[in-house]
Amino acid sequence: MRTPLIAGNWKMNLTVPEGVALAEQIRQRFGVQEDVEVAVCPAFTALYSVGQALRGSTIKLGAQNVFWKEKGAYTGHIAPAMLSSLHCEYVILGHSETRGRFGQSEIEAELLGYFSETNASLKKKLEAILPYGLRPVLCVGETLAERESQKTDAVIQQQLSETLQAMEPDELRDLVVAYEPVWAIGTGQVCEADEANRVCGLIRSTLAHMHHTELSEVVRVLYGGSVKASNANSLLKQPEIDGALVGGASLDPEEFLQIIHAARTRKG
Ligand code: 13P
């Protein structure tokens, strides 16, 4: 039985004091619960302080990105060892915003210059974090144009195969995959629960095909994209959906706690 994971991606929000205050509220109200795992992913600047605020609790800390090099002249980048020294447990990889997609199939050169993450660079990041015990939350998902031209399944299979190729099942035991349709992120337009369940099932069967059935049964597959307290129940009760990667609603403790509650009661 896979323990559901609810992860809050705070994106580029909250100063250090604001992040600490939010972490303290979530901590106080979450208490200690073992039937659901909870993580928060603040901006790099708040990782240390939020980590301190969560010390002694079961709430995990995650980062929103990482660079694959160990150290060196890479201004503005963060190495895996830096995250593990802050007791980070998760690292989001390949978010559509760091892939530079922003809901578009054709990406403006100006944005690509800033982001331009590819399946190949993600593979390097994935391989770089595993020796540090950091657990990847690998995001996959199609743009609206790809969905409308019936390319959803092919896009997701390609993202998975190019990123995870030639890796051993043992290396991927801690992998979490998040299905985040680009068109559903920050738009309020949530993917229908049945369809989200279908794509999460496709992710699992792709992993089984590429690696091993046993691995595909332990890997958690989350849904992300406009998850809120009001739609969490219908999404989280789907058999292939093992939790949620929550953006905007994770900044509101009330909403976030209700989503956590939906994960805890999903089989009830
Ligand atoms: P929203 O929940 O704001 O749509 O963001 C989802 C997301 O991108 C989580 O990583």
Side-chain angles (χ1 to χ4, degrees):
M1 178 79 177
R2 299 178 293 267
T3 305
L5 169 63
I6 303 295
N9 176 6
W10 293 359
K11 307 192 180 185
M12 197 177 75
N13 291 294
L14 307 182
T15 61
V16 172
E18 288 166 348
V20 168
L22 176 58
E24 281 169 353
Q25 286 186 63
I26 296 168
R27 177 188 181 150
Q28 264 172 20
R29 298 185 43 196
F30 177 68
V32 178
Q33 292 164 16
E34 284 170 3
D35 47 2
V36 61
E37 200 181 340
V38 172
V40 295
C41 306
F44 287 133
T45 45
L47 272 176
Y48 175 77
S49 310
V50 168
Q52 292 295 305
L54 295 176
R55 263 183 83 170
S57 81
T58 56
I59 301 170
K60 312 275 169 59
L61 191 64
Q64 296 175 20
N65 202 352
V66 69
F67 192 48
W68 62 82
K69 292 285 188 180
E70 296 243 327
K71 58 173 150 177
Y74 304 103
T75 303
H77 291 278
I78 301 288
M82 297 170 180
L83 298 181
S84 78
S85 73
L86 293 176
H87 308 291
C88 262
E89 205 148 313
Y90 289 101
V91 184
I92 297 174
L93 295 180
H95 194 282
S96 67
E97 288 155 10
T98 59
R99 288 180 192 257
R101 302 192 94 203
F102 296 105
Q104 303 156 77
S105 54
E106 297 301 326
I107 302 147
E108 288 165 41
E110 192 192 341
L111 282 179
L112 254 188
Y114 283 110
F115 299 96
S116 65
E117 195 162 54
T118 62
N119 293 331
S121 64
L122 284 170
K123 182 170 177 58
K124 289 186 186 179
K125 292 181 178 187
L126 188 67
E127 287 169 349
I129 67 171
L130 294 176
Y132 291 90
L134 293 161
R135 304 161 87 176
V137 180
L138 175 65
C139 300
V140 296
E142 80 289 358
T143 60
L144 187 57
E146 287 161 347
R147 172 160 284 270
E148 284 173 345
S149 52
Q150 276 78 46
K151 291 194 188 130
T152 299
D153 295 11
V155 166
I156 282 158
Q157 285 168 325
Q158 188 177 4
Q159 288 171 336
L160 289 172
S161 65
E162 289 185 4
T163 311
L164 303 177
Q165 60 171 313
M167 297 193 73
E168 294 297 323
D170 264 3
E171 294 178 284
L172 297 176
R173 294 200 82 76
D174 285 333
L175 174 71
V176 176
V177 180
Y179 169 49
E180 294 213 322
V182 182
W183 49 271
I185 296 176
T187 58
Q189 199 189 336
V190 69
C191 184
E192 293 290 330
D194 284 0
E195 174 60 4
N197 187 58
R198 185 192 72 79
V199 179
C200 289
L202 171 81
I203 291 169
R204 203 177 301 289
S205 60
T206 305
L207 290 176
H209 183 69
M210 284 180 66
H211 295 282
H212 209 279
T213 308
E214 199 201 323
L215 175 78
S216 73
E217 280 162 9
V218 295
V219 165
R220 285 173 295 179
V221 183
L222 315 183
Y223 169 79
S226 296
V227 177
K228 306 208 170 351
S230 57
N231 57 30
N233 272 316
S234 65
L235 287 162
L236 293 171
K237 72 176 189 214
Q238 301 296 322
E240 296 291 354
I241 301 180
D242 302 319
L245 184 54
V246 187
S250 70
L251 300 171
D252 176 336
E254 190 56 45
E255 282 274 320
F256 193 55
L257 283 147
Q258 282 185 39
I259 295 167
I260 294 168
H261 182 72
R264 295 186 65 213
T265 53
R266 68 197 194 126
K267 303 284 182 216

